[in-house]
Amino acid sequence: MIIVLLPRSSCRPLISLASSISAHNTSPCRPDPFALVAPQLSQIRTDLVRLLGSAHPGLEEIANYYFLRPSKQLRPLIIMLLAQATNGLGKNWSLKKWTSEQARPGGRAESLNEPLSRANILNDWNPKMEAQTSSYDSLLSLSLPSTPTQLPVPPTSICSTTERTLISPAFILPTQLRLAQIVEMVHAASLLHDDVIDESPLRRGGLSAPEAFGNKFAVLGGNFILGRASIALSRLGDPEVTQLIASVMSNLVEGEILQMQDVESPDGQEFPSSQVAKKAWTVYLQKTYMKTASLMAKGARSSVILGGCADGEIYKEVAYAYGRNIGIAFQLVDDVLDYEAVEDTQLGKPGGADLQLGLATGPALYAWEEHPEMGPLIERKFSGAGDVELARTLVRKSAGVERTRALAVAYATQAREVLQALPESEARAALESLTERVIKRKS
Ligand code: FPP
Ligand code: MG
């Protein structure tokens, strides 16, 4: 089932980038989401290399490894488009805008690189940025540093501004651009770890990091990125955003653990039972949120918080609901594509990693409803001789793939629906278009 979206009234030229999500046909009159923020997407990528500098060249190479290959950049895209679709609407916008021009934490772009602690305390050596460390050659003697300079205080007129209209032309605050980088860093760190867990030989058209550098360095590289992402997060100067993004880091780990969880019948019950299947679905959707949607949902919410949207206003809720729904849709499509790649194995294309990893995703769980013999295969994680092939056959004979796709469409449609609480804008139209592309993507 494919959703058909009504064309919008304001037509713009379509510019397609060569990413898998952006490569598909866009409905006429919908802006290309990637084209709308193409310069910023390219800029944040270049700047990321600066954030990940290390005195250890090997560590720097691993940390940057996945950023040097083309990626979908879906997460930064969502963050930037939501910034463009809401900046100016929140009650704290004027304050955020004023702060973005000041030399202070959460302020102008250069300030976001400034350490909050003195160099000889922070000791975080990044040769690509100003000195944030000191020498260890001498004994550290006690000294009282000079009192820090007073931070600029916002004029009272700024706090009381009541005008609430979308900023035109659309623009993105330095903190929101930095957030987009932080979110990409967290994502890349999770992929470095994921490729160790999944023993993946390939990623983004090349060798995976564990294959290229070994497991130990891939894990350490991921941890290093998380450390640098946390430093950058603290310099955004917003405790709620820090909390949201830090919680994504634990969600990712919990999602990965949930994914490993066995599907098993409670003591004394026959397997399969409807309760076991229901629980398997609950765990699957929970895992899908934690592993994939959490970063999009909380990243999106953080973006509008940094743009001055406050509690009691609808914008934070829109951002979170959009990110969560599109994130779940994205992962459901991923799970479908894994089966479609299996279908292509006869044509020499690799794929079908999920069953090999013992994972029962949407298509297998739906197939279980039609073919009870799927239950024992799921329970033993497709580990028996011929299990993977039998599971593929059962999925093929069932409506599992179509039903998972239909579920993805339902989540994507909901993501588009919640956007209707925002004023019309090109960025909103691009976010709408993204929900369609996530469903249509082929890789
Ligand atoms: C890709 O899934 C993996 C993730 C989206 C998250 C992985 C999370 C961890 C390994 C926990 C560690 C977290 C941090 C923050 C270091 P996939 O295997 O389904 O997709 P793939 O085909 O791209 O590998
Ligand atoms: Mg993987």
Side-chain angles (χ1 to χ4, degrees), residues 194-195 198 200 203 357:
D194 181 68
D195 285 342
D198 290 354
S200 315
R203 165 83 59 194
L357 289 168

Side-chain angles (χ1 to χ4, degrees), residues 57 153 170 237 290 303 376 424 435:
V153 179
M290 291 198 167
S303 179
E424 264 196 69
T435 63

Side-chain angles (χ1 to χ4, degrees), residues 168-188:
S168 180
F171 78 92
I172 304 168
L173 295 173
T175 47
Q176 292 168 320
L177 289 171
R178 179 51 55 86
L179 174 72
Q181 290 177 313
I182 292 168
V183 161
E184 270 300 75
M185 287 162 89
V186 173
H187 177 55

Side-chain angles (χ1 to χ4, degrees), residues 90-99 104 152-164 308 310 313:
K91 77 171 171 220
N92 298 325
W93 165 254
S94 305
L95 183 60
K96 294 288 183 185
K97 176 75 177 55
W98 175 84
T99 309
R104 52 174 297 157
V153 179
T156 44
S157 58
I158 280 180
C159 305
S160 58
T161 306
T162 51
E163 203 185 315
R164 311 260 175 86
E313 298 177 319

Side-chain angles (χ1 to χ4, degrees), residues 64 70 77 83 109 129 161 257 261 292 298 305 308 362 370 391-392 415 429:
N64 280 298
L77 180 68
M129 288 167 73
T161 306
I257 299 284
Q261 193 168 297
T292 309
K298 292 175 181 172
I305 293 172
E370 290 176 48
R392 280 178 193 161

